[in-house]
Amino acid sequence: MLRENKIYLASKSPRRRELLQQVGIEFDLLLLRDAPPRGPDVTEIVLPGEAPEAYVSRVTKEKADKAWEAMHQRKLLARPVLAADTTVVLGQQILGKPADLEEAISMLQMLSGQTHQVLTSIAVHSAQGSAAVTQCSEVSFAKLDQQQILAYCRSNEPYDKAGGYGIQGAAARFISHIKGSYSGIMGLPLFETCQLLRQTGIIIP
């Protein structure tokens, strides 16, 4: 019998699914709860005084650990579990997912004409233990006028993305320069992901 070469992805992000498919990594979804009645398995609340890198690393590790527990509780076939979390940071301010039009507009106004950081942390939990890494990229926005910001924020694109934009979508026209990992800015740095998964025994050509 051939050894199974598959993982669980503990993420709802369609972009992370696309990125794994891009490099030929097979996966099944293993989703955590994010709604009542019992509440989310992992909250994404920033702790008082918590630095951005510490925050994104902690949340990602909690997601991977909870998904590993869920795999056993649901009596699923044991496989490595991959989790990730992305945050946008301007200075030391964490910009999460905008809740409404007003918040999306505010975020784009802040990012306009500025260079910010995108931190994506990945964690893999397997029979060998757990390992994690955080990848940091820089993204520079051109100066945006109010009409550009309003038109973008009235689309559906900003509302499920940290910082209120997606580099792979219409916001690409705002970005003058990036430094780092394009896939990391999308939400899953593929080089680092492949490195961690290979350590668990996943074969990636």
Side-chain angles (χ1 to χ4, degrees):
M1 175 181 279
L2 294 175
R3 178 186 176 278
E4 188 184 48
N5 196 52
K6 202 170 187 179
I7 68 167
Y8 291 114
L9 173 63
S11 173
K12 290 184 175 179
S13 166
R15 293 163 294 282
R16 293 190 180 117
R17 298 175 209 173
E18 292 166 8
L19 288 165
L20 288 179
Q21 290 165 348
Q22 179 180 319
V23 292
I25 297 172
E26 294 187 43
F27 64 92
D28 287 325
L29 295 178
L30 202 171
L31 301 180
L32 300 174
R33 292 193 309 272
D34 62 358
R38 290 188 294 173
D41 285 317
V42 176
T43 62
E44 298 186 0
I45 297 170
V46 183
L47 300 178
E50 191 171 32
E53 187 166 347
Y55 161 74
V56 74
S57 176
R58 173 183 60 80
V59 169
T60 303
K61 186 177 184 304
E62 287 179 6
K63 288 179 179 180
D65 291 347
K66 284 289 186 182
W68 182 256
E69 291 176 14
M71 180 189 73
H72 288 290
Q73 289 169 355
R74 299 172 195 176
K75 297 181 170 33
L76 301 175
L77 185 66
R79 299 174 182 151
V81 172
L82 170 66
D85 194 69
T86 299
T87 195
V88 169
V89 182
L90 184 62
Q92 284 295 298
Q93 183 174 355
I94 294 173
L95 303 182
K97 299 173 184 177
D100 52 32
L101 177 65
E102 184 178 350
E103 194 169 3
I105 290 171
S106 176
M107 286 185 185
L108 267 291
Q109 288 172 334
M110 293 170 64
L111 296 176
S112 171
Q114 302 292 325
T115 296
H116 62 272
Q117 293 182 319
V118 178
L119 303 177
T120 296
S121 185
I122 56 172
V124 174
H125 200 136
S126 70
Q128 287 85 5
S130 59
V133 66
T134 299
Q135 193 278 329
C136 177
S137 296
E138 293 183 353
V139 179
S140 299
F141 266 42
K143 188 71 176 173
L144 307 178
D145 61 39
Q146 194 66 5
Q147 186 176 356
Q148 289 175 301
I149 291 172
L150 282 172
Y152 182 72
C153 292
R154 284 171 177 156
S155 73
N156 292 326
E157 195 167 291
Y159 300 99
D160 67 338
K161 299 172 183 67
Y165 78 93
I167 192 172
Q168 74 286 352
R173 65 182 184 264
F174 305 148
I175 296 168
S176 60
H177 182 74
I178 70 169
K179 180 181 178 182
S181 167
Y182 184 87
S183 61
I185 297 166
M186 279 185 68
L188 192 70
L190 287 175
F191 178 77
E192 292 84 353
T193 298
C194 290
Q195 282 188 313
L196 288 189
L197 290 177
R198 286 188 184 107
Q199 293 172 19
T200 72
I202 294 294
I203 299 168
I204 304 170

